[in-house]
Structure formats: structure tokens, C-alpha cells
Amino acid sequence: MIEPATRPLEWSPPRTAISRVPYLPGLDGMRALAVAVVIVYHANNTWLSGGFLGVEVFFVISGYLITLLLIGEHERTGRVDLKQFWARRARRLLPALFTLLIGVTIYTALFRRDALGQLRGDVLAALAYVSNWYQIWTGQGYTASGDFAPLRHLWSLAVEEQFYLVWPLVMVGLIRLGRRRLPSMSRWLALAAVVITVLMAVLYYPGPIESCTSTPDAYWQLGGRCLSKTDTLYLGTFFRLGGLLLGSAFAMVWRPVALMRGPIRDKGRILDVLAVVGLGGLAALVWVLSVVEPDGSADPWLFRGGFFVTGLATLLVIAAVTHQRSVAGMMLGNPVLLWIGTRSYGLYLYHWPIFQIERRVAGNPLTFGQFVVGVAITVVITEISYRVIETPIRRGTVGRWWRRLQDARDPAPRRVIAGFGAGVVALSVFAVATLATAELKQNEIAESLDQGQQAVTDIDDLTPDVSAPVSVAETRPDATTAPSSAAGSVVGGSTTVAPTTTVAPTTVAPTTVAPQPIPMLAIGDSVMLGAANQLAAKGITVSAEVSRQMKSMIPVVQGLRDTGQLGDTVIVHLGTNGGLSDQTVTDFFSALSGVPRVLVLTINAPRDYVAENNAKLVALPAQFPNVQLLYWDGLAADCPGNCFYDDGIHLRPDGQDYYSQLIFGVLGI
């Protein structure tokens, strides 16, 4: 048991507690803006590509308020009661979290039973507040797609809770060194935030991130696992401490009550100007930054200072809204933002699983109509949770409410509540039991692609030994894949984020065996992989991989051309997993210019770069007369039966048959 920190010898109760924390409605207004941009981003990241930075704003505010509260408590009482601090945090955070976990588990047990096995790990990680580390370890980072992932957003709450657990202990130690020395200590916290920023920039991996074997420098090896550097930098507690430390450092030098006792008390208008600068900077950042770019690479501006600049801009706004004579505080503390801000925790908790239920799998963007419905449901659930669960428990009024209910003459309310409670308990027991015994399964898309993998030919096997070393490229069907991200699109109203796999050069040993042309070769990504069995059954040699990109296949087709292995027909379906540059398209199809017939399928995927990719593909016949087009983007809508999985991209059995028959019809086989 941890005892409260004892009073240092220097303590003497001040006449006026200058470090006390008054209610600051402007901070709730900042929370409102932060949660709003996060919700918009989670609905459709093409609407606001940097909306995730609202979480960084939360981190800075949390660091500021928690540190200010700890300093104020010590000034008031001469000690920091750690047990009470953690108890207050538990009363504030746990009731809504438990409600969320129970609700999600019940829903999944009733309607998404195949996802229960994967949900089990998410629930346990959420209960232990280690969701961020669990996601890093399992490779289910923020941008991974394909799964029903209703608890993925809890990574940020894990970071904050880990901070709440450790930071009060650190503050007790710093206060013991002398509370009056805290302002000078703040510079070291700011320096620590700078060091974290520099480390993040150094460790950041530039360029497209593909498989662990293809881009090993984009991963760390630990316990036989490949851990994505991008996921670790984004989700890892240490690397996200920057905003929390900036807020904590600011609390040591910027105390709202103390401000009004010095010359800064008359600087409200100057601070309002700083608030405009800060809000303008935050608006620009959430508009231009992103986690990953269309080519699968992490945004360099984000990981090379973007988080730090976001923290600084947030501090400018905090400086204004915590000043009693600033206009910014009054404007951000208006009733609408105040209502949203006081419920920001619930809004953050509940919106993500509701959006996941609407989109079916992670990665699909919501339409505007779905967004409106999802937000409306979120607001209702949040308000009920806030009034019925969170506030009564936080204020300790549940017992009084229950006693009043028991004393009431009319037994009907008690019976209704008892019946409702019994139903919830029964469902909860059923859901938890089902969760505990559920089989761990891959999602439908992954299972389908595994089946298609059986018909795929390893690209190494396509290149026989020749009399001189020949540089080709290696792809392995069992390669470990890593998450990448793609933005949403105007096509179809959905998106998915798939893992990427690159192609690493290798050298074939000398031999005298002559290469043989491949009569019909198909080169594609995971869409083609889904139909690999049907294509292979017609004698087509299939080389298809999850998240393959055209750029990575240029050396492959060049190697096949140079060894004389390109036959009469090559089928190409690439461009789903990233934008195509003019140079990439020219280099790739120049290597195929000697093939009599190159059948190119256009792209059907709800991603923002697809229209531009298709425009480049449609223009190919003018430059390369051997290219013939199959307009998959238009024909996909005419597929009979249940053709696509929930991401709207990958093929179910009906779609696999339809896709293959279209190709066979064009080829006349």
C-alpha cells in the first residue's frame, strides 16, 4: 500500500493558494474542439487527414491539469495524497470504460461471433490499460484494416493512464526537492520533450513500409516478432510523452491564480493574439498532416517535429484560456463547446465502436449520412452514460439515489430497474463466457487470401538458373506483412488499409539451364490473389501478393524480360495499394513492351488516389499499343451474387468467379 507523500520541511500554508486550480471553461472548449476533429478523422480520414492530432491536444491538456492539481494539492495541504489521486482517476475513468467493454462484448457475442477471439485480447489489454503496447506487439496498429476492431482507439487512454500512474510519483520526488524550484525544473521537462522529438525523427523510417523481410529497416526484431517502427513511434508511451511533458512543464510556470498577482494580469489581449496564432497553427496542422501517405510511407513532417509543434500551438491556446481577462477563454467556454467538452471522454469512448459497427471492418470510411447517424447515436449514449453512470459514481451519489428509490412508495421503478439490471447481468455473463471460450480466427479476408496463396507461384521459381548471374526479385507468399495506410476515396464510400510487401533483389547462381517463356503470366495484388485458384486452373501462372505495388515490381518484370521469360500474355492488376507516378507506369510497361498482349485491369477501390491511377491506366494504349484494358472499376458493380467482403475491395467466392470469367472472356480461354 502506498502512503500519501509526507510534508517537506519547507511547507507552510500560504494565505492565498496561488496554485489552486479554478474551473477553467476554456479548457473544456479546447477538449471539445479536440474530440470533434478526432471524431471527424475517425469517420473518414480524407475529410481531415490530421484530425488524429486532437489526441495530442488532449495529452498536453492532461499534462497541464494533472501537474497543476498536484502542485495545488501540495500547496494547500503540504502533501500529495497518492491513494486519493488514483481513486479519483479510477472513479472518473473506469465506470464508462467498463460500460463500453461490456456493451462491445455483448454486441460482438450476439452479432459478430467470429470476431470474439480477436476481441478477447483487446478487452484484456483495455482492462490493464496496455492497449497501445498490445497493438504494437500484435501488429494491429492504428492504420491496420480488415478486422472488426471496436476497441482500437483505447491506445490513447492507455498512454494517459500509464502517465497517471507514474507521473504523481515523479512529482512527489520533484516537490521534495523544493516546490519553489519547480519553475526552474520545468526547463528539463521541456528539454525531455525535445529529446523525444529528436529520437522520433532519428528512428523514423522514410519511404514506403512493406514487409519485414523486404524493408527490414522499418522494423525492430523482438522475441521473433517484427515490430513496426511507425506503430511504435505513434503508439508507444515513451514517444508520446512529449505532449504530456510540455503540458506538465507549462503548469510549473503558468498557474492561473498566480497570473493575476503579477504584470501578466493586464496582458489578456496579447494572449488572445497568441490564442489565434495557436488555433490557426492547429487548424493548419490537422489539415495538412497525416499518419501515412498514399504510397504507404509515414508522414515525415509528423514524425520529424509535427507532434512537438502541435504541443507548442496547444500551449499558446492554454496560456490564453487560463487567463481570467482573455476573450479566448470566454469564447471557447461557450455553452455548446462546454457541453461537448465536459462529455469529451464519453464521446471519445463511444464513437469509435459505433463507427466500427457501421463500417463493419476497420479502414472503411463512413459516408456523410452514416457519420450523422453515428454521431447522433454517440451523443445519446454519451449523455446517458454521463448522467446515469459517470457523474453519480464520480460524485459518490449512487448510494443516496438507491436509498431514495427504496424509500419511494411506488415499487414500479424498482421493479423496472431490477428487471433491466437482471437482463444486463444475464447478457454480460453470457458474453463474457462466450468471449473466454471463443476460438481465435483470422478475419474473412485473410482466410480467403490464405486459400488463394496455395495457387500462387513464388516469383523466384519463375526465374531458372542461367549461365550468368541474373538479378531478379524475391517475393515470398508467407512473408510477414506490416500495416500501412491509404486514405479514403470518392469511389464507393469505403476504404481499407492493407499491409504492404516490397520486393527485395537477389542474385541467381550461374548455371547452363536456359529459361523458358511463361505463356500466360498474371501479376497482381491481393484482389488478384483472391481469385488465384480460378486463374491457375486455366493454366495461368499467378504471381500475386498482399499490398503489392507496381513500383516494387519494376525490377521483376525487367528481370523476366532480360531472361526471355515473358511469353505471349501478361495480365496486370496493380494500383490498389498506392498512387502511381508517371515514371512508375512508364518504366513498368516499357519492360512489357515486347509482350504481344498485356491485359490491364483498372482499379476498383474506395481510395482517394484510385481515380488518378485509373486515368493513367486508361491512357496506356495510346503509348503502348500492346496494352488492352479491362474496366474492372465499372464491371465490378455488375457482379451477380454476394461478390465482395465488407471492405468493398476483396473478392468473395462469387466475386472470384466473376473476376476470373471476365479475364477468361477477354483472353478467349
Side-chain angles (χ1 to χ4, degrees):
M1 180 179 295
I2 300 176
E3 297 297 331
T6 56
R7 299 176 180 178
L9 296 176
E10 69 165 22
W11 179 80
S12 58
R15 293 182 179 179
T16 303
I18 61 173
S19 296
R20 67 185 177 86
V21 185
Y23 176 58
L24 302 167
L27 290 182
D28 276 328
M30 291 182 66
R31 287 194 183 100
L33 296 178
V35 77
V37 298
V38 170
I39 289 174
V40 171
Y41 173 78
H42 283 166
N44 189 328
N45 59 18
T46 64
W47 294 345
L48 201 61
S49 65
F52 59 89
L53 290 173
V55 172
E56 189 70 5
V57 174
F58 274 114
F59 285 166
V60 178
I61 295 173
S62 293
Y64 178 76
L65 275 178
I66 292 301
T67 303
L68 201 61
L69 287 169
L70 293 171
I71 296 173
E73 181 180 355
H74 184 270
E75 181 187 80
R76 186 177 67 256
T77 66
R79 65 180 185 178
V80 175
D81 192 331
L82 297 176
K83 290 189 295 184
Q84 283 301 313
F85 172 85
W86 288 322
R88 288 193 299 270
R89 290 291 88 199
R91 288 196 300 270
R92 174 70 181 92
L93 300 175
L94 293 182
L97 176 66
F98 290 163
T99 302
L100 171 74
L101 296 179
I102 291 171
V104 166
T105 303
I106 291 173
Y107 173 85
T108 308
L110 293 176
F111 304 107
R112 299 293 298 268
R113 293 179 67 87
D114 286 345
L116 273 173
Q118 291 189 347
L119 182 68
R120 180 170 54 240
D122 291 327
V123 169
L124 294 175
L127 289 172
Y129 276 107
V130 293
S131 294
N132 60 327
W133 296 112
Y134 177 76
Q135 291 173 23
I136 292 170
W137 183 253
T138 59
Q140 292 297 313
Y142 200 46
T143 59
S145 70
D147 290 316
F148 175 63
L151 301 178
R152 188 169 290 167
H153 66 313
L154 297 184
W155 73 268
S156 63
L157 301 184
V159 172
E160 286 207 52
E161 190 63 20
Q162 291 160 33
F163 175 76
Y164 294 154
L165 182 64
V166 175
W167 186 243
L169 299 173
V170 175
M171 281 300 299
V172 167
L174 294 178
I175 290 173
R176 283 183 179 276
L177 296 177
R179 196 178 67 242
R180 295 182 182 87
R181 298 167 64 181
L182 288 178
S184 62
M185 294 177 189
S186 66
R187 70 186 68 172
W188 297 107
L189 298 182
L191 179 61
V194 172
V195 169
I196 291 171
T197 301
V198 172
L199 282 175
M200 182 179 286
V202 170
L203 296 173
Y204 156 81
Y205 178 80
I209 302 167
E210 302 189 5
S211 75
C212 186
T213 54
S214 301
T215 54
D217 290 341
Y219 297 84
W220 285 301
Q221 299 281 345
L222 181 64
R225 287 178 177 265
C226 291
L227 306 182
S228 167
K229 288 184 178 180
T230 299
D231 285 349
T232 305
L233 295 178
Y234 189 91
L235 302 173
T237 305
F238 173 78
F239 296 106
R240 297 309 298 269
L241 280 178
L244 291 160
L245 291 178
L246 283 176
S248 299
F250 197 57
M252 294 178 178
V253 297
W254 194 266
R255 293 169 289 176
V257 174
L259 295 177
M260 307 313 295
R261 300 181 59 179
I264 297 180
R265 66 178 179 272
D266 298 322
K267 306 299 183 183
R269 295 298 174 264
I270 295 177
L271 293 175
D272 285 331
V273 173
L274 293 180
V276 172
V277 172
L279 289 171
L282 290 173
L285 290 167
V286 300
W287 185 257
V288 303
L289 293 183
S290 59
V291 180
V292 293
E293 300 186 314
D295 65 355
S297 62
D299 188 340
W301 295 105
L302 175 66
F303 291 96
R304 291 175 173 171
F307 288 119
F308 186 76
V309 175
T310 301
L312 294 181
T314 303
L315 291 182
L316 293 180
V317 184
I318 290 176
V321 302
T322 54
H323 193 283
Q324 295 181 17
R325 298 179 182 176
S326 74
V327 176
M330 291 186 292
M331 293 187 67
L332 289 181
N334 70 75
V336 174
L337 292 182
L338 199 61
W339 186 93
I340 298 173
T342 54
R343 292 154 177 80
S344 58
Y345 176 60
L347 291 169
Y348 183 83
L349 270 186
Y350 297 119
H351 85 279
W352 176 267
I354 291 169
F355 285 1
Q356 292 303 101
I357 291 171
E358 287 187 292
R359 60 170 45 111
R360 299 288 297 172
V361 296
N364 288 348
L366 300 182
T367 64
F368 183 74
Q370 289 174 320
F371 172 68
V372 171
V373 172
V375 169
I377 296 172
T378 298
V379 167
V380 172
I381 293 177
T382 296
E383 183 67 10
I384 294 172
S385 174
Y386 182 79
R387 290 184 177 274
V388 177
I389 299 171
E390 299 171 59
T391 301
I393 293 177
R394 186 173 70 251
R395 294 179 178 177
T397 59
V398 175
R400 293 197 298 272
W401 170 80
W402 181 247
R403 286 192 294 271
R404 286 198 302 271
L405 190 63
Q406 287 181 315
D407 294 339
R409 294 182 179 180
D410 186 1
R414 291 197 299 272
R415 292 173 181 171
V416 171
I417 293 173
F420 178 78
V424 171
V425 170
L427 278 175
S428 300
V429 171
F430 160 76
V432 171
T434 307
L435 181 74
T437 58
E439 178 185 356
L440 182 60
K441 298 180 179 180
Q442 293 189 98
N443 64 64
E444 290 181 315
I445 298 172
E447 289 182 349
S448 173
L449 298 181
D450 281 349
Q451 294 173 6
Q453 196 67 64
Q454 300 170 6
V456 171
T457 301
D458 192 315
I459 205 70
D460 281 346
D461 297 335
L462 300 181
T463 308
D465 293 338
V466 292
S467 56
V470 179
S471 177
V472 296
E474 177 185 30
T475 60
R476 300 194 179 279
D478 58 348
T480 302
T481 55
S484 69
S485 176
S489 171
V490 295
V491 183
S494 65
T495 190
T496 186
V497 184
T500 47
T501 304
T502 194
V503 179
T506 186
T507 301
V508 179
T511 184
T512 57
V513 177
Q516 296 296 319
I518 303 165
M520 292 186 292
L521 172 63
I523 302 173
D525 50 35
S526 56
V527 179
M528 180 181 284
L529 179 59
N533 285 299
Q534 289 86 341
L535 297 175
K538 284 285 189 175
I540 298 175
T541 301
V542 181
S543 172
E545 282 194 1
V546 172
S547 294
R548 176 177 281 172
Q549 298 196 38
M550 185 178 292
K551 184 176 182 179
S552 67
M553 295 303 292
I554 292 174
V556 175
V557 294
Q558 290 173 342
L560 295 172
R561 175 199 62 191
D562 295 342
T563 56
Q565 293 179 262
L566 295 176
D568 294 333
T569 301
V570 174
I571 306 157
V572 178
H573 195 178
L574 295 169
T576 308
N577 299 299
L580 299 175
S581 69
D582 291 333
Q583 189 64 50
T584 293
V585 172
T586 299
D587 290 347
F588 183 88
F589 287 97
S590 292
L592 298 176
S593 59
V595 177
R597 178 166 56 180
V598 177
L599 177 61
V600 178
L601 282 77
T602 56
I603 311 304
N604 178 59
R607 298 180 178 177
D608 59 350
Y609 49 76
V610 163
E612 185 176 352
N613 284 359
N614 281 338
K616 290 181 171 66
L617 297 178
V618 169
L620 282 172
Q623 184 179 0
F624 300 97
N626 63 331
V627 170
Q628 183 178 3
L629 292 172
L630 175 57
Y631 292 88
W632 175 240
D633 58 323
L635 293 169
D638 297 328
C639 179
N642 187 13
C643 296
F644 296 94
Y645 288 107
D646 289 332
D647 65 352
I649 298 175
H650 294 95
L651 304 171
R652 292 183 182 272
D654 289 345
Q656 295 166 11
D657 292 337
Y658 178 70
Y659 177 92
S660 304
Q661 291 301 322
L662 288 175
I663 293 175
F664 299 155
V666 174
L667 298 180
I669 59 175

